[in-house]
Amino acid sequence: HIDVFKEGFVFRLRVVYPREVVLLKECKTPDGKTSYRDTPESLQLEKYTLHLPKLTGALHGLQQQWPSMGVVCRLAKRWLSSQLLDNAHVPDVATELLVASLFLSPEPFRPLAQPQPMFLRFLHLLAHTNFHLEPVVVNFNGNLKREDLIEIESHFRSERTALPPLYIATQYDKSGSVWTREAPTLPVLVRLASLASQSLTVLEKNFLSSALNHICKVVFRPPLELYDALIQLKPMQLSRLSQGVDFTQKTPVQVKVPKVRRKIPITGFDPAELYLRELRESYSDFALFFHDTYGGRTIGVLFKPSAFETHEFKVSQVNCRKPVKEGKKDLLTLNFDAIIEDFYILGTSLVKTIHLSPKHSQKM
């Protein structure tokens, strides 16, 4: 890629070679023959070089038709992130497609020019839709004809167990799994429905209240009782601190354009995001990590139930576990203290403190 600095903004250009996807699918069979099959690398490249440009154009066209859609998308993404459900748990593109469906298939209502009621409809969609039984079909410009819709519905019914929990089909992806293949998971969808229902109730009850501005902030503050551990980050180390919901500063934050135009400023440096990525790469087998991308000061850690199971002593399973004796058997159990200590070490100069839930604080 190449970065281009223009009037205070940095644009990243990527060079795409169409046959690269085919080359990534190429593999050799044991008898020396060449075959082609999907690989994680080819699917990722195909997603962002073939599907995304088409989808971006379609979403831009819808935004031109309904200017409020952009605001609704931003509200939806901000609300999701404020609930510590970042792009890793609910992909941004999936959020945009859900919002687009509200404008393209608004029945029994009609699309509105005001973003606030459309945001309430987004929450209603999450709270009251059974995504296991109902596919989401986003029909841009009516290009999906009746036969296509029947085909999508039939595919959804017959292959439901093999499809992702959130099935979103478009004219560019009738399989409905390109953008939601890995996320959101079923537990995240269940959690989303609960959070959306609670937020919707609060907003609907106080929609005409004089203190609506304060009440709106309430639904953008996440409940933290669910998590096994809360990693508190040092505010001064967060590059996006000013984007936080409760950020207050007397003087407005200004983006300064460098005086020396020949130098490109540092871009994409987000210590919290880099730390979060390292945690997920190292401990995804044992825990899930949740964070507000936009100025969040807390990372929620939720250990998987399987992490606390004991296993027979095997060298291949000693990672993050410690040996224990149970009768005459040598077993392995989760080394909880060591993992928490690792969180501190990985986040040196970034982690302020780690709070444990009462059920785990007794173990320390």
Side-chain angles (χ1 to χ4, degrees):
H1 66 263
I2 181 172
D3 290 340
V4 179
F5 182 55
K6 177 71 173 177
E7 297 180 0
F9 293 92
V10 177
F11 299 90
R12 177 159 293 178
L13 305 180
R14 298 183 184 275
V15 179
V16 176
Y17 176 54
R19 276 192 53 81
E20 189 175 356
V21 175
V22 179
L23 294 175
L24 287 173
K25 292 182 178 182
E26 186 177 301
C27 60
K28 293 287 186 180
T29 59
D31 56 359
K33 295 181 180 179
T34 301
S35 63
Y36 297 90
R37 60 181 177 84
D38 289 332
T39 63
E41 294 79 11
S42 69
L43 291 173
Q44 189 77 356
L45 185 64
E46 188 175 12
K47 180 191 297 184
Y48 289 104
T49 60
L50 298 180
H51 293 284
L52 186 58
K54 297 177 183 177
L55 189 58
T56 301
L59 289 170
H60 177 69
L62 189 60
Q63 156 70 19
Q64 295 294 98
Q65 183 181 356
W66 296 100
S68 62
M69 178 186 159
V71 182
V72 180
C73 281
R74 292 195 294 272
L75 279 172
K77 291 179 184 179
R78 189 65 190 89
W79 179 82
L80 286 168
S81 189
S82 70
Q83 305 304 318
L84 308 188
L85 296 171
D86 59 2
N87 185 55
H89 292 290
V90 184
D92 288 342
V93 176
T95 305
E96 293 172 2
L97 288 173
L98 287 174
V99 172
S101 70
L102 298 175
F103 287 87
L104 293 170
S105 304
E107 296 80 8
F109 309 104
R110 60 183 180 85
L112 298 176
Q114 295 80 15
Q116 294 88 342
M118 293 302 293
F119 174 62
L120 293 180
R121 290 185 191 176
F122 172 77
L123 294 177
H124 186 275
L125 175 71
L126 294 179
H128 299 289
T129 303
N130 187 343
F131 292 107
H132 182 72
L133 300 177
E134 299 181 37
V136 178
V137 180
V138 185
N139 191 1
F140 292 106
N141 301 318
N143 288 340
L144 289 174
K145 305 305 179 185
R146 185 172 180 273
E147 296 77 12
D148 299 318
L149 297 176
I150 293 175
E151 179 187 347
I152 291 172
E153 182 74 20
S154 175
H155 174 68
F156 176 77
R157 300 298 178 193
S158 61
E159 303 291 335
R160 186 64 190 103
T161 55
L163 295 173
L166 179 59
Y167 178 92
I168 306 178
T170 68
Q171 63 212 52
Y172 312 112
D173 171 34
K174 295 181 183 179
S175 68
S177 60
V178 167
W179 300 107
T180 57
R181 182 180 288 110
E182 298 176 355
T185 60
L186 185 57
V188 168
L189 275 182
V190 173
R191 176 69 173 165
L192 261 182
S194 174
L195 292 171
S197 178
Q198 295 172 27
S199 298
L200 190 62
T201 301
V202 171
L203 290 175
E204 286 179 341
K205 284 184 177 179
N206 301 278
F207 198 73
L208 299 178
S209 171
S210 58
L212 182 60
N213 288 339
H214 172 72
I215 294 168
C216 281
K217 279 195 172 184
V218 172
V219 302
F220 286 88
R221 296 189 183 110
L224 301 175
E225 301 81 12
L226 171 72
Y227 301 103
D228 296 312
L230 296 173
I231 304 175
Q232 302 292 341
L233 307 178
K234 296 179 181 178
M236 296 307 296
Q237 304 296 332
L238 303 179
S239 59
R240 291 189 169 190
L241 180 64
S242 61
Q243 298 176 358
V245 173
D246 294 310
F247 177 78
T248 55
Q249 186 170 326
K250 294 181 179 179
T251 57
V253 178
Q254 296 181 348
V255 178
K256 297 182 179 179
V257 179
K259 295 180 180 179
V260 182
R261 296 300 183 96
R262 291 174 297 176
K263 295 183 179 180
I264 295 180
I266 297 174
T267 58
F269 179 66
D270 188 343
E273 193 65 27
L274 295 173
Y275 177 54
L276 188 64
R277 186 186 307 169
E278 193 165 359
L279 288 176
R280 285 171 172 160
E281 290 175 353
S282 303
Y283 301 99
S284 59
D285 292 338
F286 303 94
L288 299 174
F289 299 90
F290 302 82
H291 180 242
D292 181 359
T293 303
Y294 307 103
R297 306 183 187 189
T298 302
I299 295 177
V301 184
L302 187 63
F303 283 89
K304 298 179 180 180
S306 59
F308 295 99
E309 297 175 356
T310 56
H311 298 269
E312 292 184 10
F313 188 93
K314 293 181 180 179
V315 176
S316 60
Q317 295 184 345
V318 297
N319 184 36
C320 296
R321 293 188 173 94
K322 60 183 178 181
V324 293
K325 275 282 188 180
E326 189 173 299
K328 295 183 178 180
K329 292 183 178 180
D330 291 323
L331 302 176
L332 291 172
T333 187
L334 184 71
N335 195 342
F336 188 82
D337 297 355
I339 290 178
I340 298 301
E341 186 177 354
D342 287 348
F343 291 170
Y344 274 112
I345 295 172
L346 288 175
T348 301
S349 301
L350 178 63
V351 174
K352 181 179 180 181
T353 185
I354 299 178
H355 298 291
L356 303 179
S357 66
K359 63 180 179 181
H360 293 298
S361 58
Q362 299 174 359
K363 301 177 183 179
M364 298 295 288

